[in-house]
Amino acid sequence: MAVDSPLSSQLGPPVCERDAKALHFIEETTSHADSVQDRVLTEILTRNSQTEYLTRFKLNGATDRETFKSKLPIITYEDLQPEIHRIANGDRSAILSAHPISEFLTSSGTSAGERKLMPTIKEELDRRRLLYSLLMPVMNLYVPGLERGKGLYFLFVKSETRTPGGLLARPVLTSYYKSDHFKTRPYDPYNVYTSPNEAILCPDSFQSMYAQMLCGLLQRQQVLRVGAVFASGLLRAIRFLQLNWPQLTQDIETGALNPKLTDPSLREYMDKILKPNPELAEYVRHECSKDNWEGIIARIWQNTKYLDVIVTGAMAQYIPTLDYYSGGLPLACTMYASSECYFGLNLNPMCKPSQVSYTIMPNMAYFEFLPHDPNSFGFPRDSPPKLVDLVDVEVGKEYELVITTYAGLYRYRVGDILRVTGFHNSAPQFHFVRRKNVLLSIDSDKTDEAELQKAVENASRLLREFNTSVVEYTSYADTRTIPGHYVIYWELLGKDSTNSPTDEVLKQCCLAMEESLNSVYRQGRVADNSIGPLEIRVVKNGTFEELMDYAISRGASINQYKVPRCVNFTPIMELLDYRVVSSHFSPASPHWTPERR
């Protein structure tokens, strides 16, 4: 059971000397947030003073905030693409960073459909490891005894490529798991996983998941916490267990490993630990063969104290399903990070998901905040807004996060919208509101309105030979299925009732939409199996007029009403589903290749 919150002026009594050092570091850093920020900016600008980028804006070695803010523009990824492409193509001169770019970390897709390439340097691994080292000392304040068991975490590497200039391009967690920081990490009784490195690093997603699930079952009584990076990942693991428990229990019963696991290092490890255990096999079989899977996590891993998953932002849609499968176990969101930078941690990790706030650690980067106006569509380049420093944000207000990093991002708009909830010492705490402009998200995919519009336009071309067009459309991310999938509602106008588009044609429209979506979405469909086939639901004529009437009845202005391109309000979804006349799913996987174009 979690202990009462010790967050008043101090974090609370540590459980060991190692924790004491970590908690002291948090207190010291957050107590002097502004001076730490000053030091970070000075270090970044000093070491990178001779880079091409800073020289271009005539900083002339200045390291003070006033000069920095007056001379350097606020930028987006598109502004940096020329520099990114040069580095990716092999230019090793000091373009953005004085330290060599060691690799690119791939972020969410751009409007052009490719993943963003975020430059990073080797020392960033140290900063990431530092933030990871703070998580368990904080968790130990709330959940005692974690050193007496293990964590069942489903962790995976994803595909990586090389740029034309030879630099690796891969997701940030793949970079971390493949680093010596992770592979040769020192033993820590508070951070022992049931999954071996051999399983985590196996590139085959089926073999990796199978081995991790099997190890979790073999050590089920030692498991004290169950987790994955995202809520969607943990639910995929539960779905995997639903589909594969007969083979898993056979392996446990006989002590013979599934022949589908062919990875040599994985087989070698599993052969060492897998012994016949009919009693365990019968227990797992008994639980998994029941029709009712409510509380299955707590039933199989009976000593689990909490689930460690991200359930903020787009992941909040999975909370009811997690509650169902876990029997209502607490959900812990421990840290806030991205490909561009690791930002901070949750100092109250056992709070309710709706109350999660992350404390920004001021040593990770130089942070600025762009006041967010939901009705604003950007700002003119000749009169950029005044950005707010870390310690000067105001409680209750929303901001877009802007960062300057050691690796060479300067005043870079991350695209995250945050709301200030309070302060820990002088460091602000933020609730993650959403990604800017994102409509749909199932896993790590992010689809915005422009991309959805383009996909609908491309798919609707298949309707022309039937003299049919898409009158209106909207969408939602259906997370009731595992994996979740995109649902697109179409209202069609056909000029010839004797020549309507067939089911096969509408299925091809689904596939055409998927082909139009970004590479992160397509990788989730093809390689990661984290997104299910896209579905088009055709609704009766007049449906979107009813939608407008409903909105007006609730106070919307008829003059300002716009069809929402994404819906999640239950009465609206019920209205749409009531008027569905046919449903169609993508018949195949879209094209995806790990090679960069």
Side-chain angles (χ1 to χ4, degrees), residues 20-36:
K21 291 179 179 178
L23 298 180
H24 176 74
F25 175 81
I26 294 172
E27 288 295 309
E28 186 71 16
T29 305
T30 57
S31 295
H32 303 94
D34 199 47
S35 60
V36 172

Side-chain angles (χ1 to χ4, degrees), residues 509-557:
C509 288
C510 294
L511 182 57
M513 284 197 68
E514 293 196 302
E515 292 286 8
S516 302
L517 296 176
N518 64 55
S519 64
V520 183
Y521 174 91
R522 288 181 281 115
Q523 180 177 342
R525 279 279 285 120
V526 177
D528 302 336
N529 298 314
S530 59
I531 304 172
L534 182 143
E535 177 185 4
I536 289 176
R537 296 179 187 172
V538 178
V539 297
K540 295 177 184 176
N541 289 344
T543 294
F544 281 85
E545 285 187 25
E546 281 201 21
L547 203 62
M548 181 177 71
D549 291 341
Y550 178 79
I552 292 170
S553 74
R554 289 176 53 84
S557 165

Side-chain angles (χ1 to χ4, degrees), residues 343-556:
F343 304 119
L345 63 161
N346 183 1
L347 297 181
N348 186 14
M350 300 301 282
C351 68
K352 294 179 180 179
S354 61
Q355 298 171 345
V356 169
S357 290
Y358 300 102
T359 301
I360 298 291
M361 292 300 292
N363 60 306
M364 300 304 292
Y366 181 68
F367 300 103
E368 297 176 273
F369 297 87
L370 175 63
H372 176 62
D373 178 0
N375 300 314
S376 171
F377 295 94
F379 52 85
R381 289 282 176 158
D382 55 351
S383 58
K386 181 177 174 58
L387 269 61
V388 179
D389 282 328
L390 180 69
V391 300
D392 295 328
V393 295
E394 298 180 42
V395 174
K397 291 191 175 181
E398 291 187 4
Y399 299 88
E400 182 182 349
L401 181 58
V402 178
I403 59 172
T404 296
T405 69
Y406 287 89
L409 298 178
Y410 304 96
R411 311 198 83 190
Y412 178 89
R413 299 175 67 174
V414 174
D416 289 358
I417 306 300
L418 311 175
R419 182 185 306 115
V420 187
T421 59
F423 283 80
H424 181 69
N425 297 321
S426 61
Q429 298 177 306
F430 293 91
H431 175 72
F432 181 91
V433 178
R434 60 181 173 84
R435 285 286 296 174
K436 192 173 184 181
N437 301 325
V438 171
L439 281 186
L440 294 169
S441 179
I442 293 292
D443 190 51
S444 56
D445 55 298
K446 299 177 181 70
T447 299
D448 63 22
E449 186 169 342
E451 190 173 7
L452 182 62
Q453 173 74 30
K454 178 184 174 185
V456 170
E457 289 174 356
N458 289 344
S460 63
R461 290 173 187 155
L462 299 177
L463 305 177
R464 289 176 182 172
E465 63 178 290
F466 301 93
N467 286 324
T468 299
S469 59
V470 179
V471 177
E472 274 297 359
Y473 69 91
T474 190
S475 65
Y476 86 100
D478 186 351
T479 56
R480 294 171 296 182
T481 59
I482 302 175
H485 70 290
Y486 288 8
V487 175
I488 317 297
Y489 294 96
W490 274 10
E491 183 175 328
L492 301 178
L493 176 63
K495 296 179 181 179
D496 182 358
S497 59
T498 64
N499 187 31
S500 298
T502 63
D503 171 62
E504 184 58 37
V505 169
L506 288 165
K507 286 180 178 178
Q508 290 302 317
C509 288
C510 294
L511 182 57
M513 284 197 68
E514 293 196 302
E515 292 286 8
S516 302
L517 296 176
N518 64 55
S519 64
V520 183
Y521 174 91
R522 288 181 281 115
Q523 180 177 342
R525 279 279 285 120
V526 177
D528 302 336
N529 298 314
S530 59
I531 304 172
L534 182 143
E535 177 185 4
I536 289 176
R537 296 179 187 172
V538 178
V539 297
K540 295 177 184 176
N541 289 344
T543 294
F544 281 85
E545 285 187 25
E546 281 201 21
L547 203 62
M548 181 177 71
D549 291 341
Y550 178 79
I552 292 170
S553 74
R554 289 176 53 84

Side-chain angles (χ1 to χ4, degrees), residues 41-73 96 366 404 409-411:
L41 182 62
T42 298
E43 288 176 356
I44 292 172
L45 297 181
T46 299
R47 70 155 62 172
N48 294 328
S49 62
Q50 300 305 308
T51 58
E52 180 183 313
Y53 190 85
L54 291 184
T55 302
R56 182 187 310 161
F57 294 104
K58 298 180 172 56
L59 215 56
N60 298 325
T63 61
D64 63 286
R65 298 189 203 194
E66 186 176 343
T67 305
F68 169 74
K69 288 171 181 269
S70 67
K71 294 200 171 186
L72 264 68
L96 297 173
Y366 181 68
T404 296
L409 298 178
Y410 304 96
R411 311 198 83 190

Side-chain angles (χ1 to χ4, degrees), residues 18 98 191 196 248 280 288 482 493 521 541-542 555 586 597:
R18 186 211 64 167
N191 230 338
L248 286 160
L280 174 59
C288 291
I482 302 175
L493 176 63
Y521 174 91
N541 289 344
S586 183
R597 288 186 278 188

Side-chain angles (χ1 to χ4, degrees), residues 137-329:
V138 172
M139 185 59 73
N140 289 338
L141 297 173
Y142 296 86
V143 186
L146 291 174
E147 79 282 5
R148 294 194 288 270
K150 297 183 178 183
L152 168 54
Y153 282 77
F154 296 96
L155 308 175
F156 304 91
V157 295
K158 294 192 176 183
S159 61
E160 57 187 42
T161 61
R162 287 194 181 272
T163 68
L167 286 175
L168 274 172
R170 54 191 179 180
V172 62
L173 288 174
T174 297
S175 170
Y176 180 69
Y177 298 149
K178 288 192 171 186
S179 73
D180 289 337
H181 288 68
F182 181 82
K183 290 191 292 185
T184 60
R185 61 195 183 279
Y187 172 76
D188 179 352
Y190 291 96
N191 230 338
V192 179
Y193 300 142
T194 57
S195 297
N197 287 357
E198 289 84 350
I200 295 170
L201 297 174
C202 177
D204 183 284
S205 60
F206 174 85
Q207 295 186 59
S208 176
M209 177 73 88
Y210 193 98
Q212 292 190 61
M213 183 63 76
L214 183 55
C215 288
L217 293 171
L218 293 173
Q219 302 169 76
R220 75 175 191 89
Q221 292 183 326
Q222 300 173 60
V223 171
L224 299 184
R225 48 203 173 102
V226 176
V229 178
F230 293 116
S232 55
L234 183 53
L235 290 175
R236 281 205 311 281
I238 298 304
R239 179 60 177 164
F240 186 91
L241 181 60
Q242 284 182 313
L243 295 173
N244 294 280
W245 67 261
Q247 182 64 52
L248 286 160
T249 52
Q250 182 178 322
D251 291 8
I252 296 169
E253 188 168 52
T254 63
L257 186 62
N258 185 342
K260 290 183 179 178
L261 270 66
T262 57
D263 183 278
S265 62
L266 197 53
R267 287 201 71 91
E268 182 181 353
Y269 177 86
M270 296 305 299
D271 286 342
K272 292 177 183 176
I273 67 165
L274 184 59
K275 310 297 179 189
N277 190 337
E279 184 179 348
L280 174 59
E282 180 52 36
Y283 182 87
V284 175
R285 185 179 292 116
H286 177 261
E287 292 298 333
C288 291
S289 60
K290 295 177 181 178
D291 290 335
N292 182 7
W293 270 52
E294 185 173 1
I296 191 69
I297 295 174
R299 280 155 42 194
I300 291 182
W301 296 282
Q302 295 173 327
N303 298 317
T304 304
K305 297 176 182 287
Y306 64 92
L307 304 185
D308 188 350
V309 286
I310 294 173
V311 288
T312 51
M315 292 296 119
Q317 59 195 338
Y318 295 105
I319 292 173
T321 313
L322 284 174
D323 286 342
Y324 174 82
Y325 284 121
S326 73
L329 284 169

